[in-house]
Every structure is written in C-alpha cells, then in structure tokens.
Amino acid sequence: MPLLETKEVTKKFFEFVAVDHVDLKVDKGELVGLIGPNGAGKTTLFNCISGFYKPDGGKITFKNDDITALPPHMLAKRGLARTFQLAQYYPTFTVLETLMTGLRFRGKERLLAAFFKRPIVMEEEIEFRERALEILKLVEMEKWQDYRTLDLSGGQRKIVDFSMSLILEPDLILLDEPTAGVDPILIDKLLDKIRILNKEQGVAFIVVEHNMKVIMNLCERIIVLNSGQKIAEGTPKEIQNNNEVIEVYFGKGR
Amino acid sequence: MNILSRKRIISVSGWILYAIIIFIAPIFLGDYLRHTMIMFLFYISFVVSYSILVGHAGMFSLGQQMFIGFGAYATAFLTTQYTNITNILITIPMAAIFGGFLAYLMSFILLKLPPRPFSMVTLAFNFFIRQFWNLDPLKFTGGALGIKPIYPPTIEIPGLLYIEIGRLGMYYQAAIMSILMLIFYHLLTTSRFGVAIRAIKENEILAENMGINIIWYKRRTWIICGALAAIAGNFYGYYLGVITPYVFLWYRNTYLLTMAYLGGITMIEGCILGPFIYVVLAEFMRVTEEFRIVIFSAILLITILFFPEGIGGKVKDIYKKIRSKGDL
Amino acid sequence: MDPSIFFQHLLNGVTLGSLYAFIAVGLTIIYGITRIINFAHGRFYMLGAYITYIFLQIIGLHYFIALPLTILTLFIIGYLFDVIVLRKIRERGYVVTTVITLCVGLIIGNLVKAIWGRIDLMMHTFLTKSVTIGPITTYAQRLFSIPVILVTFWILHYFLFNTKTGNAMRAYSQNQELCIAVGVDTNRILTFSIALSASLAGLGAAVIAPLFRIFPDVGGLPINKAYVIICMGGFGNVKGALLCAFIIGITESVLAGYFFPSYRDLFGFALAIIVFLIRPQGIFGTKVGFEW
C-alpha cells in the first residue's frame, strides 16, 4: 500500500489548467524528487496534496485514507507536513516559540482544554521545549532559539521552516525548494539531515528542487512535470537520459 | 519559569493595588466622578473584548460595538414589560447568549472572507442592524424610541438572597465586571487558545499548516468576544436605564477604537490605560460633539501612526531599553 | 396599477441608483487598485456638493460650466489626498490605512459641520424645474442623470479597456507583483485611481445634489450603502458595483413606493445579506487565497 497516492488530480484556475490529471505514488520511506520548469504546477500540486487547494478532479489518498478535501491542519495531525517555497514564519515569535507552537496543536481541538492549558506551568510544555531544542540542535540553529524570526535571514528562515516540518513527526514531508536561499555550505548539511531522517526514521519525502545536482544526488526516483502534466518518471539516470525531459529544459535542437 | 520571580511579584502587587484603589474610590468621590469612574470601568470591559478580537486574533472588526447594543437590548427585553426579570444572575448569561448567538450567525458569512472584506462586512452588518433596529419591521425592538425603562438590576437566589443594586451598588457591579473581564482576558491570552490565535494573526497559512484549525479558533474567538461585549452591554443597559438604536451608530466606534489603540491593543495593561487616558482627556473636552469627534479622530490618527502598540507599548519599549542599558 | 406612478418610482430608483453608482464605483476602484477601504470617500461627495454650490450660486456660473469644473476640482482633491495622506502610509498594512482614512473622513466631515453648522443650502441649476414627459412629471435634473450615467460609464469602460493607463490599472488590481516587475509606474496608477474616484464622486454630487438640500452630512446614508454595495458586487469589481447600485436603488424605490415606505432603507441591506449568504465574496467577487 503506497503511503501517498494521487489519482488524476486536476486543478484549474478559471480556464488555465495548472495540474492536469496527475498520477503519483510515494511509498513508505521513499525519497522522491519532483522537477519541472517554472510554472509546471509543482507547487500547485503540493498545495492540492497538502490541502491548501481543493482539486477540481481526482483523488488523493494518504495512508489509505481519502484526504482530497481535507484542510491542512488535519493533514498535519495525520503525519503529512510541508514547507513553503517562500519560508513562512511568525514574525514576532522566537524560533523556539515557533517550534513549540508546532507541538501544541497536534491533538483534537477542545475548547475548555485549550482555554485552561497554561503554557507556563504545564509538564507537557517542558517536554515540548526539550523536543524543540532537540530539533534545533539537529539543524544547528540552537543558538538562535531566542531570536525573533523576523530578525533572521531568509536562509535561516528556510531552515526554521524545515525544522517546523520535522517537529510534526510526519511520515511524509513535502519540501518545496528546501535549498533556495540557503547558504551553500549548509546545503550539504541539510541534505545529510534529509538522508538521515529518511534512512533512520523512515520519513518519506517529495522534494521540489531546481538545483539538479541536489536532486539527482538525493532522490531515488524522480517525477517530471511540464505544463501540469507528468511527462516522465524514473531513476535519476533514466531521467537524465530522457529526451523529452531534456527538450523541456533545454529546448529542441543541439 | 519561577513562580515567584521578581517580575511576577511586582506585577501581582500592581494588580492588587489597582483593585484596592478601585474598590475604595467611591468613598471619596462625589456623584459626578463616580459616574466617570463607572464609565471608565465599562470601557475597560469593552476594550477587553476588542483587544482579544483585534489585538490577539487580528480579526479587525468595525462593528464590535453592536454587541454592546445586543447585550443592552437583551437586558431590556428581559427587564421591562414582558418578563420583568432584573436578576443579573439571569440577565447576564442571557445577554451573553444573545450576543454570542448573533455572533454565531454572523460567523457563517464572516469566516469565509479574507481580511479586508471581513472588516467591511462587519460594518455592513452594523449598518443593517442599526436600520433594522431603528425601523423595527418585526415590531420587537421598540423602534427609534428604544425601550425604557430598564429597571435597576437585582441579585436574586430564590429563597436565599434578594439584593437591589442601587446607584452605589452599580459602581461595584461595574468594578467587579471589569475585574472579572480582565481576569478572563489574562486566562485566555496566556492559554493555549491565546497562543493559537496569536499564531493565526501572525501567519494564518503557517498556523493552518502546523495543525491549528483556524476556522475553529476564529469562530470561537468571534463568539466569545461578541458575548463579552454583550455582557458589557448588559451593564450599559442597566446603567442608562434606557436603550435606543443610537447605540448602533458606527461612528461611535471611533471613540472605542481610540480607547483601544491608545492603551495598547495587545496588552492587558492597555485595556486599562486606554480607557483611562480617554476618560481623562474627555474631561477637558466639554465642547460640541463634532469637535470632540475631530479631536479624538486626530488622536487616533496620531496613535496609530506613531504608537502602533499604544502608549502602553511605548512605555514597555522604553522600560525595556532602560533595563537593557542597565545590564551593560 | 397605475403606470405613471410606477414610472415615477422607477425614475426615482434610477436617480437613487445613479447616486449609489457614482460613489460605489469610485470606492470599488480605490479598493481594487490600492486595496484601501477609503472611509473618507463620502467626504469627496460632500465636497463635490459644496463646490458645485459655490460655482453655481456664489460665483454664478452656468451649470454646464460648473459641472466639469467640479469634476476637475475633485480630481485635484483626490490627487492631493493621495499624495499628502495615502502615499505615506501605503506600506503600513490595511488596518492602519483603514483607520487613517476613517479618521481623515471623520475629521473633515465634522470640522465642516462644526464650523459651518447645520445650515441647509439649496441649489438651483437650469434643470431644476419641472418637466412633463408622457405620464411623468418630474424635475429635468432627474432625467439628466440618465444620460450622464450612460456617458460616464461608457467612457469609463472605454478608458479601462482601451487606454494604456486603464489597462495598467486593471492589470495592477489583478496582479501587483507582475506589474511592478514589468516596470509599470505604480505610484502614478495608484494616485490616478484615487483622483478618478474622487472625480466620480464629484460628478455624482454635481448631478444629484441639486435635487435635494445639501448639508454637511449630505449623502450620509447612501454613502454607507455604497460600502455595502461594493461588498455585494464583489470587491474591486466595477460592473458589480454598478449593477448592485442600480439593483438596490430601484428595489428600494419601487418597494418603498408601493409597499413599505418606512422600511425603505432596510431593503438594500437585506438584499446584501442574502447575497452574502449565497456568495460571501460578492456577486462578481473572486475567491482569493486558499480554499479550505
């Protein structure tokens, strides 16, 4: 049983078809890449899978449940996380606060409980703090824990965004251009972390990237989108030698 | 965090001192100043509801004062001709339920809207309610003349207790109401619910992505703030003894906006500071209504341009700067 | 049912609708392009009424000269409003800008009230005299609003779809970043939209205000309705604003004329709420952003 499966997912904006009947499968623990020229529909597909858009057609299943129409917060609770192309952050929250906020809302909403759960005194909060610090250590950002996110650089925010997806302890993470804007030295470290998470904890990934070197080195399988349609799928080697893919990126003729 | 940290002790003592002042004051005040204090306490109660809604959840409503009207009218319906219930143990919850229920109805339209349309439609509701209440097509609101008299409040526990609240009693009613509101504010904003709504205000998309059900939280915030304002309205109705659709006039919102932003919309101290400054300033402005609107609009303008966190925020900033200089 | 009475109500409805249209279209243009809810818009109308009065009664110009002069004056006022007030606060977020337009509107409105008191003024143009056409007897000024509406909004449509600036405005309201990236002079577009909207309000005042007495709060309730109209028609959508302006104007006049004269002001708001229940974003509104 695949972890995530999309069947004929379609998304239109007025007459423009951004995602055109895309079929996609990701198994448990797989590291899949999603590439394609700008405007191919990669982020739109992510938005459909993660609940930010409602697809106009098709079906999406996650862990055998139909998640097609579910809003993002429910998916976060079921183990599906995503990051954003442009790193999203809470401006006045500190890095630590931001991560802890990710931990506080993983259960079902209950009014009285939410009202009376006081961050200052609860035991859970101590656990959350430890867990958040653990993740920060993992991405080597612990010394920034008390900085407000708006005081950080764009690349640092990307890393915070990445650690936000980790804190949900997901089974699948959708990474939207995780290396964009990140310090080149850190890119390798980031990729290492992804590999470790993948191998040791069995977290599956779908990674959208424009950096071909990164994608080809990181992923076991690559899916290529163009103009909303899936045009190729295979191992990095197969994709590199796929004529249609080459044409899409470099144009016809040599 | 240390329960007995120095900051906490100062903070708690400050609040106890405030409470003591509030409770002792009427002994020293004549009728007129007592009236001013009562309005001050009433404003605190309203600003609490506004501060939670706008300062914490970021739901910029332009019609929050209509809930004051709802609360006052609910009280009026109960207290006059038809049912003659003046027991605040009944009228306060009923006012809250009335305000909360109407908020619930409105939420079905409001929560589907992005931020600017949201504000506009709260205003549209305000206009509609005012016209509807004024023209009274269903003949229950009392029309342009409103409803009067609203008999004075009482506290009744059948068989055990019967207190009629006189003029002095209303002062203490206002004082207790405002203190309970402030306690509620504190509990809400420092709870997980408060964290959620602040996260929603800072970045809705991220909040939703991290498991916060934003519609769930927004709906409950809207209803709670509506109910809170309605409770304030309940007192308002009792205190004035009469209620007319004048309460729904939206430009009065400017006074309330001014009060809220002056104090500092995200802090509990702002809920007191804002009304305090307003009441003090109003004392010096025994001018015509028009000039008063002009002056307070100008104050609001200056506040929101130069003191977005309010005077309270500015004071906190300065205090922080002094402390950090001192640590060097 | 007496047809002449019906036409009377219909004509009143058209006049009312025109009034709403002149205000609401300007308001929706400002919103669509600058994303600001201009709470000072009613003041443009008020100023338009007073300025028309000054040109007509005090300086004694002919109506057909006063009219374009008023439009021009309001254009300049709108331009100044943007340059002096709005430009400085554009990046401050919509709460700040909304509150500031609110404050400016209240300050101007109440200053005028405070200084000149509640004096009513009466304006006479050469058209404020009775005219009988077929079954209807009415002021020629009312009939005048019909060709003005048609001409104005035809010109507006032409402008928005066939000129460089108009196209830039439409493009900007749909995709700001793209316009900036392409190098469009956004300042010019923003200022122009506000000036344009102000002159629309001024035109409205010049055409409609002579029909009634003018006083500082002139246009108060219709202006409030204009805000509701732009919600109803779809934010930033000109044809929505136009359509809803006339729907509400005519509905109010006809229903109030025949059935419930005292509940006239409720119909518009009630209609709006019905629209919101079915389509919260307005008749021609687009759902922006994420869709959960």
Side-chain angles (χ1 to χ4, degrees):
Chain A
M1 184 221 355
L3 182 63
L4 173 80
E5 186 169 3
T6 74
K7 284 206 180 89
E8 308 248 322
V9 167
T10 309
K11 179 66 189 170
K12 292 203 271 236
F13 296 103
F14 300 103
E15 314 87 34
F16 173 64
V17 185
V19 174
D20 198 350
H21 296 86
V22 171
D23 290 323
L24 168 52
K25 228 191 319 192
V26 176
D27 288 316
K28 245 201 194 133
E30 259 201 293
L31 236 178
V32 177
L34 182 62
I35 65 174
N38 277 321
K42 311 184 291 294
T43 301
T44 312
L45 182 60
F46 267 17
N47 283 338
C48 289
I49 296 175
S50 61
F52 285 91
Y53 286 156
K54 240 186 233 148
D56 294 308
K59 186 166 149 175
I60 308 174
T61 50
F62 182 67
K63 295 192 204 171
N64 234 6
D65 296 320
D66 187 349
I67 63 165
T68 321
L70 288 187
H73 71 266
M74 301 209 79
L75 298 177
K77 294 175 185 167
R78 286 171 187 232
L80 203 167
R82 76 159 290 176
T83 65
F84 295 91
Q85 216 169 345
L86 203 55
Q88 296 293 321
Y89 58 101
Y90 300 128
T92 68
F93 282 30
T94 63
V95 172
L96 190 61
E97 267 292 305
T98 309
L99 283 168
M100 287 171 74
T101 308
L103 287 168
R104 289 170 176 138
F105 300 101
R106 299 174 58 207
K108 197 160 158 52
E109 288 86 21
R110 263 177 263 277
L111 185 57
L112 253 42
F115 186 71
F116 288 109
K117 282 203 169 142
R118 326 210 43 81
I120 309 175
V121 262
M122 287 190 65
E123 270 177 22
E124 251 186 335
E125 290 285 320
I126 303 175
E127 264 175 50
F128 290 164
R129 200 187 160 86
E130 279 172 11
R131 177 100 186 94
L133 281 171
E134 235 177 76
I135 301 269
L136 282 180
K137 277 200 192 96
L138 186 71
V139 294
E140 296 176 25
M141 290 274 295
E142 356 127 36
K143 70 174 180 182
W144 300 94
Q145 60 179 268
D146 289 321
Y147 280 71
R148 291 187 311 177
T149 339
L150 67 88
D151 295 330
L152 296 180
S153 72
Q156 287 173 316
R157 288 190 204 133
K158 273 292 242 199
I159 299 189
V160 172
D161 205 20
F162 176 70
S163 51
M164 287 286 267
S165 67
L166 298 183
I167 208 140
L168 294 174
E169 290 175 25
D171 300 298
L172 170 66
I173 304 183
L174 307 176
L175 289 177
D176 203 342
E177 299 193 36
T179 65
V182 172
D183 197 342
I185 310 170
L186 291 177
I187 289 183
D188 282 326
K189 289 202 178 145
L190 191 61
L191 297 179
D192 268 339
K193 310 280 190 279
I194 296 177
R195 283 192 201 100
I196 295 175
L197 284 159
N198 179 251
K199 290 269 150 31
E200 296 180 5
Q201 294 175 34
V203 180
F205 287 86
I206 306 182
V207 185
V208 164
E209 254 302 339
H210 283 293
N211 186 330
M212 286 301 136
K213 221 176 72 167
V214 161
I215 272 266
M216 299 296 168
N217 276 321
L218 185 65
C219 305
E220 320 159 338
R221 180 160 64 95
I222 297 185
I223 300 173
V224 188
L225 285 188
N226 185 33
S227 299
Q229 294 175 330
K230 183 168 80 170
I231 60 170
E233 185 171 357
T235 64
K237 212 163 184 188
E238 287 167 9
I239 295 295
Q240 277 165 348
N241 291 322
N242 182 312
N243 285 324
E244 202 180 336
V245 175
I246 296 174
E247 218 176 88
V248 155
Y249 271 102
F250 297 109
K252 294 199 191 25
R254 278 299 203 109
Chain B
M1 196 189 270
N2 197 351
I3 302 279
L4 289 173
S5 72
R6 193 173 128 204
K7 188 170 144 194
R8 264 189 155 227
I9 295 182
I10 296 181
S11 179
V12 172
S13 344
W15 284 109
I16 295 181
L17 189 63
Y18 168 76
I20 294 177
I21 296 177
I22 296 288
F23 278 94
I24 298 186
I27 306 177
F28 305 103
L29 299 175
D31 269 355
Y32 177 73
L33 278 181
R34 194 172 63 200
H35 162 76
T36 314
M37 283 291 288
I38 290 181
M39 290 311 286
F40 164 67
L41 295 168
F42 165 71
Y43 292 143
I44 292 179
S45 311
F46 175 78
V47 173
V48 160
S49 80
Y50 190 83
S51 178
I52 295 174
L53 189 66
V54 181
H56 287 265
M59 298 168 74
F60 185 57
S61 163
L62 288 166
Q64 186 67 350
Q65 82 276 11
M66 62 180 155
F67 291 104
I68 296 185
F70 292 148
Y73 268 98
T75 312
F77 294 149
L78 289 170
T79 320
T80 59
Q81 311 107 306
Y82 311 112
T83 42
N84 206 9
I85 300 176
T86 57
N87 187 359
I88 60 173
L89 296 176
I90 297 184
T91 59
I92 291 184
M94 292 304 289
I97 292 174
F98 188 58
F101 180 66
L102 287 170
Y104 174 69
L105 291 179
M106 288 185 221
S107 72
F108 285 107
I109 297 177
L110 288 174
L111 292 182
K112 296 200 183 125
L113 298 169
R116 290 174 176 86
F118 173 86
S119 307
M120 277 310 312
V121 176
T122 58
L123 191 61
F125 277 134
N126 196 351
F127 290 150
F128 174 68
I129 295 285
R130 168 159 161 74
Q131 284 305 314
F132 182 84
W133 237 262
N134 215 2
L135 298 171
D136 199 10
L138 299 178
K139 298 275 175 274
F140 69 93
T141 72
L145 292 175
I147 299 182
K148 77 178 210 176
I150 302 178
Y151 296 114
T154 58
I155 308 179
E156 303 172 34
I157 305 177
L160 285 172
L161 195 63
Y162 183 87
I163 305 176
E164 271 177 21
I165 302 180
R167 297 315 278 177
L168 182 64
M170 295 210 78
Y171 176 91
Y172 285 105
Q173 184 182 353
I176 294 175
M177 174 179 71
S178 72
I179 290 192
L180 288 177
M181 290 271 182
L182 289 167
I183 293 176
F184 183 87
Y185 180 95
H186 176 76
L187 286 178
L188 186 72
T189 54
T190 54
S191 74
R192 216 165 265 188
F193 191 94
V195 174
I197 63 180
R198 277 192 298 280
I200 293 174
K201 177 188 177 198
E202 302 258 319
N203 191 329
E204 244 181 54
I205 294 174
L206 183 58
E208 177 74 34
N209 197 41
M210 298 306 294
I212 297 177
N213 183 345
I214 62 179
I215 294 194
W216 190 94
Y217 281 95
K218 278 187 168 180
R219 197 187 306 275
R220 277 148 191 77
T221 309
W222 175 251
I223 293 176
I224 288 174
C225 293
L228 285 177
I231 293 176
N234 160 283
F235 174 81
Y236 188 69
Y238 278 131
Y239 187 61
L240 287 192
V242 61
I243 191 67
T244 65
Y246 196 69
V247 74
F248 293 119
L249 263 184
W250 80 285
Y251 69 76
R252 293 167 111 229
N253 205 21
T254 356
Y255 294 137
L256 301 166
L257 280 181
T258 313
M259 260 185 255
Y261 283 100
L262 256 183
I265 202 155
T266 55
M267 17 189 277
I268 192 171
E269 296 87 354
C271 298
I272 300 183
L273 192 60
F276 179 73
I277 299 178
Y278 172 82
V279 159
V280 166
L281 285 176
E283 279 309 296
F284 295 106
M285 290 190 222
R286 317 289 190 87
V287 295
T288 55
E289 171 115 54
E290 286 90 22
F291 271 123
R292 214 167 340 128
I293 297 181
V294 170
I295 296 174
F296 278 113
S297 302
I299 293 176
L300 179 58
L301 196 107
I302 298 174
T303 308
I304 208 153
L305 270 181
F306 301 114
F307 304 96
E309 294 292 313
I311 308 255
K314 219 20 181 245
V315 168
K316 252 197 187 156
D317 263 353
I318 298 177
Y319 181 70
K320 265 193 202 142
K321 286 205 180 104
I322 296 179
R323 292 227 56 214
S324 62
K325 284 224 172 81
D327 286 342
L328 281 171
Chain C
M1 192 173 85
D2 191 350
S4 71
I5 296 188
F6 176 73
F7 280 115
Q8 198 84 45
H9 289 317
L10 193 62
L11 185 60
N12 288 345
V14 168
T15 313
L16 199 55
S18 321
L19 173 59
Y20 294 151
F22 282 119
I23 302 175
V25 169
L27 209 50
T28 212
I29 289 179
I30 294 185
Y31 178 85
I33 297 183
T34 68
R35 297 276 184 263
I36 293 178
I37 305 169
N38 182 19
F39 280 109
H41 206 74
R43 302 309 123 218
F44 291 147
Y45 183 83
M46 178 193 84
L47 288 171
Y50 278 108
I51 288 173
T52 312
Y53 179 82
I54 292 176
F55 283 137
L56 269 181
Q57 312 282 172
I58 298 186
I59 302 184
L61 297 170
H62 186 272
Y63 184 60
F64 281 153
I65 301 183
L67 189 71
L69 275 182
T70 306
I71 298 177
L72 188 62
T73 316
L74 260 303
F75 187 88
I76 297 175
I77 292 180
Y79 176 84
L80 290 174
F81 180 59
D82 184 54
V83 168
I84 298 177
V85 178
L86 293 178
R87 257 194 210 176
K88 315 265 165 64
I89 57 169
R90 273 208 253 280
E91 318 83 40
R92 296 281 302 261
Y94 87 102
V95 172
V96 176
T97 46
T98 303
V99 172
I100 289 187
T101 59
L102 181 62
C103 292
V104 171
L106 283 171
I107 290 175
I108 296 179
N110 284 281
L111 266 181
V112 169
K113 242 200 232 180
I115 298 177
W116 282 287
R118 297 157 195 266
I119 313 171
D120 288 354
L121 296 171
M122 206 56 205
M123 258 201 286
H124 292 289
T125 75
F126 77 104
L127 290 171
T128 42
K129 56 170 180 276
S130 274
V131 136
T132 310
I133 294 185
I136 318 173
T137 306
T138 182
Y139 282 125
Q141 185 81 19
R142 273 189 199 274
L143 295 172
F144 181 55
S145 68
I146 299 178
V148 172
I149 284 270
L150 292 172
V151 169
T152 309
F153 290 110
W154 189 87
I155 296 179
L156 187 67
H157 183 269
Y158 183 83
F159 171 77
L160 284 177
F161 284 85
N162 291 319
T163 67
K164 206 172 75 169
T165 316
N167 279 319
M169 283 168 68
R170 287 191 309 125
Y172 190 80
S173 84
Q174 288 177 15
N175 191 335
Q176 284 189 359
E177 289 117 11
L178 191 55
C179 282
I180 297 175
V182 166
V184 171
D185 185 352
T186 53
N187 251 345
R188 207 168 59 104
I189 294 182
L190 295 170
T191 313
F192 186 80
S193 347
I194 298 182
L196 175 65
S197 304
S199 34
L200 274 175
L203 172 59
V207 171
I208 310 275
L211 288 167
F212 309 100
R213 317 194 88 87
I214 57 175
F215 48 92
D217 235 346
V218 70
L221 191 55
I223 292 170
N224 292 351
K225 288 192 189 141
Y227 289 100
V228 178
I229 287 171
I230 68 171
C231 300
M232 203 174 136
F235 287 87
N237 191 296
V238 173
K239 65 177 183 282
L242 251 175
L243 183 68
C244 292
F246 281 102
I247 291 178
I248 292 194
I250 294 177
T251 310
E252 279 184 352
S253 276
V254 170
L255 282 182
Y258 278 120
F259 302 115
F260 311 103
S262 41
Y263 299 149
R264 197 177 75 157
D265 295 317
L266 268 182
F267 297 129
F269 294 126
L271 261 182
I273 299 219
I274 294 175
V275 168
F276 293 146
L277 284 171
I278 304 172
R279 234 184 115 84
Q281 69 268 34
I283 297 180
F284 292 109
T286 49
K287 251 196 183 129
V288 173
F290 294 117
E291 301 164 11
W292 62 86

